[in-house]
Amino acid sequence: QQQVKQSPQSLIVQKGGISIINCAYENTAFDYFPWYQQFPGKGPALLIAIRPDVSEKKEGRFTISFNKSAKQFSLHIMDSQPGDSATYFCAASMEGAQKLVFGQGTRLTINP
Amino acid sequence: ETGVTQTPRHLVMGMTNKKSLKCEQHLGHNAMYWYKQSAKKPLELMFVYSLEERVENNSVPSRFSPECPNSSHLFLHLHTLQPEDSALYLCASSQDPIGSYEQYFGPGTRLTVT
């Protein structure tokens, strides 16, 4: 029940296309859903996050879509660029928890 | 230095060695974390420290021993490791351990156990 399932494991998108990464969770107590971006040789960095009181959050080319009834959330990268090539992790947490539960990660490659 | 720093960045050690990983956060945060990142696995939380007290130990083998002398520094002492312990070890910090979800990660230490 503490798991967050992420798919796909790897994704190849052409430059200018839309990259979509999906995550699903079971624990309805989760109330915070961040996405982290990790480049080779670096630690993960917070990219964008959403709370379940909204269905969508947009920051530049990055959008989180949240479906509370389906217990799913996804990251959309519009106009994908080669510089977006990285590993993306979704995560979840809840009020009072001391930790984030991470998905397995998606290695995204944007072909020029 | 800014953010979260980790040293060394790379470490190769034999199974009988003793070594330590160091993490320092320059963000004024109160909580620090150790994670293990292995290929094709989710990030595994190992330890959580809040105001220098260990608040979580995720069933980590005793060959990993954390130390938090103050809120800015975190160590991971390693001894008699196994080859399967080879991984990227990430340190992170957050403002508070509870209710503050944003965690800031260091670049990690790439550990190879031979």
Side-chain angles (χ1 to χ4, degrees), chain A:
Chain A
Q1 207 184 19
Q2 287 293 325
Q3 284 186 329
V4 176
K5 295 183 179 178
Q6 182 173 347
S7 62
Q9 279 193 334
S10 62
L11 179 63
I12 300 174
V13 175
Q14 292 299 118
K15 179 183 174 183
I18 302 173
S19 304
I20 302 175
I21 305 171
N22 301 298
C23 283
Y25 62 97
E26 288 296 323
N27 191 339
T28 55
F30 286 145
D31 64 353
Y32 175 73
F33 303 90
W35 284 89
Y36 281 79
Q37 179 188 55
Q38 184 178 25
F39 293 107
K42 304 279 189 181
L46 180 64
L47 183 64
I48 186 173
I50 196 169
R51 294 188 185 272
D53 52 346
V54 297
S55 60
E56 186 176 281
K57 183 173 182 179
K58 185 176 181 180
E59 290 185 4
R61 295 184 295 107
F62 299 91
T63 300
I64 299 179
S65 296
F66 184 80
N67 186 329
K68 189 173 181 178
S69 60
K71 292 184 284 187
Q72 295 175 347
F73 58 109
S74 59
L75 176 69
H76 296 237
I77 306 175
M78 312 300 286
D79 187 26
S80 299
Q81 299 297 313
D84 297 329
S85 297
T87 299
Y88 292 81
F89 295 92
C90 62
S93 188
M94 69 182 86
E95 181 72 31
Q98 295 169 335
K99 59 184 180 182
L100 289 166
V101 179
F102 284 89
Q104 296 91 329
T106 297
R107 180 171 291 183
L108 175 65
T109 303
I110 307 299
N111 284 336

Side-chain angles (χ1 to χ4, degrees), chain B residues 81-92:
Chain B
L81 294 191
Q82 304 298 311
E84 60 263 30
D85 297 323
S86 298
L88 181 68
Y89 288 86
L90 291 162
C91 174

Side-chain angles (χ1 to χ4, degrees), chain B residues 16-51:
Chain B
T16 58
N17 290 160
K18 290 185 180 180
K19 296 285 184 183
S20 295
L21 310 185
K22 179 183 175 182
C23 175
E24 185 173 0
Q25 58 96 359
H26 310 266
L27 301 168
H29 288 166
N30 294 315
M32 297 187 77
Y33 311 77
W34 278 117
Y35 286 87
K36 176 183 179 182
Q37 186 175 31
S38 306
K40 297 182 181 179
K41 281 188 174 182
L43 276 80
E44 299 173 60
L45 179 65
M46 300 175 72
F47 301 104
V48 180
Y49 274 84
S50 169
L51 297 170

